[in-house]
Amino acid sequence: MTSVGGVVAGRRGGGAVRAGRSIAGRLAARTGGGAVRVFLVLVALFWLMPSVGLLLSSLRSPQQIAESGWWEVFTKPAEITFDNYGQLLSNGKVMGSLLTTAEITVPATVLVVVIGSLAGYAFAWMDFPGRDGWFMVVVGLLVVPVQVALIPVAKLFGAVGLFETTAGVVLFHTAFGLPFAVFLLRNFFAEIPRELLEAARLDGAGELRLFTRVVMPLGGPAIASLGIFQFLWVWNDMLVALIFADSGSPPITVALQQEVRQFGNNIDVLAPGAFVSMVVPLIVFFAFQRQFVSGVMAGAVK
């Protein structure tokens, strides 16, 4: 009787589990239907609305921008003009600031990715004295705000001749981007199966070859995610650039701020300049969207 009762109870429990799963499946099917898709589309449109509004504003004359909102373009498409972009191309300061921004963003991103990858591999798979202690120091640096280091770093850069230079801005962004990079990549590299590394070592692979041939390909999604985060942070930065960049050739964020301060009604340059400054990170994000999602999902599963 006891065994029979256990079987019956087990069957009832299994039926309850199946019923619960079926209910969960029906709820998932319903929430994954048209209503949720419509909601997600609305969220995406709401998120893109500022970008669309800025684009349409950059295609209108300053007088039209002052008289009405950008949505008037849908009823008056004849208002669209590319004269503002002609003004932007003829503005040497703003166009030069785009080059300065690229000169800062690309090296700061590459340095963080390369150094962070090497350090992440070392902390994950190499034995050296004080490894865990040094890694805790790196983790502790994650909570240090940028504002705390502005004055000390400014004094240091002034003493060594890096204040108001592009190299100084690159070094600042690299230093503050490395703690997160090392933390992210170390945790990702540590999940690589040990058997793969041991097999490569048995084949005669050294640490450098092991890093370039095994670890880097497997860590591609995480590295791509890190590169996107670093690029977006550096490109959109204004605080560090405002303090440490050369005032004669500032990045695009500072250049646009100076245009607002000096020429408050210079909307024919500000609108297209702001849109160009914003569209570059969007292009980078959408170009590497697949790698970014792969890195996020891999980190979530692990």
Side-chain angles (χ1 to χ4, degrees):
M1 292 296 292
T2 303
S3 60
V4 173
V7 171
V8 172
R11 289 180 178 177
R12 289 178 179 175
V17 172
R18 286 193 295 271
R21 290 178 178 176
S22 62
I23 293 174
R26 289 197 298 269
L27 289 176
R30 291 180 181 178
T31 55
V36 174
R37 293 180 181 178
V38 171
F39 174 74
L40 294 177
V41 170
L42 292 176
V43 171
L45 292 176
F46 182 78
W47 181 75
L48 289 174
M49 188 176 296
S51 302
V52 175
L54 184 59
L55 171 62
L56 296 179
S57 296
S58 67
L59 297 175
R60 306 176 72 211
S61 65
Q63 181 180 0
Q64 293 167 347
I65 295 175
E67 293 177 351
S68 60
W70 56 267
W71 50 87
E72 293 291 333
V73 172
F74 296 106
T75 58
K76 301 176 182 178
E79 293 182 352
I80 294 178
T81 178
F82 291 93
D83 293 340
N84 292 342
Y85 286 92
Q87 295 290 334
L88 177 67
L89 294 175
S90 62
N91 191 309
K93 183 175 182 180
V94 176
M95 294 304 298
S97 66
L98 287 172
L99 179 60
T100 301
T101 305
E103 292 175 349
I104 293 173
T105 305
V106 174
T109 302
V110 172
L111 286 174
V112 167
V113 169
V114 173
I115 299 176
S117 300
L118 293 171
Y121 172 75
F123 280 116
W125 292 108
M126 296 180 66
D127 293 327
F128 55 89
R131 183 185 67 173
D132 295 337
W134 283 112
F135 184 69
M136 293 304 298
V137 172
V138 172
V139 173
L141 291 175
L142 289 172
V143 300
V144 177
V146 175
Q147 293 80 359
V148 173
L150 292 178
I151 295 178
V153 174
K155 292 181 179 179
L156 176 62
F157 282 179
V160 299
L162 290 176
F163 193 74
E164 289 195 350
T165 63
T166 300
V169 182
V170 171
L171 289 177
F172 191 98
H173 283 301
T174 302
F176 273 86
L178 278 176
F180 174 74
V182 175
F183 175 76
L184 174 68
L185 296 180
R186 182 266 178 192
N187 292 337
F188 192 91
F189 292 161
E191 298 294 333
I192 297 176
R194 183 180 295 273
E195 292 77 8
L196 291 176
L197 303 181
E198 292 178 351
R201 288 192 176 99
L202 290 176
D203 291 337
E207 294 296 340
L208 181 60
R209 186 175 181 182
L210 190 66
F211 174 74
T212 56
R213 298 294 181 88
V214 179
V215 176
M216 288 292 287
L218 293 175
I223 294 173
S225 300
L226 172 64
I228 292 174
F229 278 125
Q230 180 70 9
F231 184 92
L232 296 180
W233 178 47
V234 178
W235 183 277
N236 294 320
D237 169 74
M238 182 175 178
L239 177 62
V240 177
L242 187 63
I243 296 175
F244 295 101
D246 186 1
S247 57
S249 57
I252 184 64
T253 52
V254 179
L256 293 177
Q257 186 268 343
Q258 292 176 351
E259 290 288 331
V260 173
R261 183 177 58 191
Q262 296 176 2
F263 309 103
N265 59 351
N266 197 15
I267 193 65
D268 57 334
V269 173
L270 292 176
F275 179 76
V276 171
S277 174
M278 181 179 61
V279 77
V280 172
L282 288 177
I283 292 174
V284 171
F285 176 79
F286 286 115
F288 297 95
Q289 182 182 12
R290 181 174 300 178
Q291 290 83 355
F292 176 77
V293 173
S294 300
V296 172
M297 292 302 295
V301 171
K302 295 178 179 180

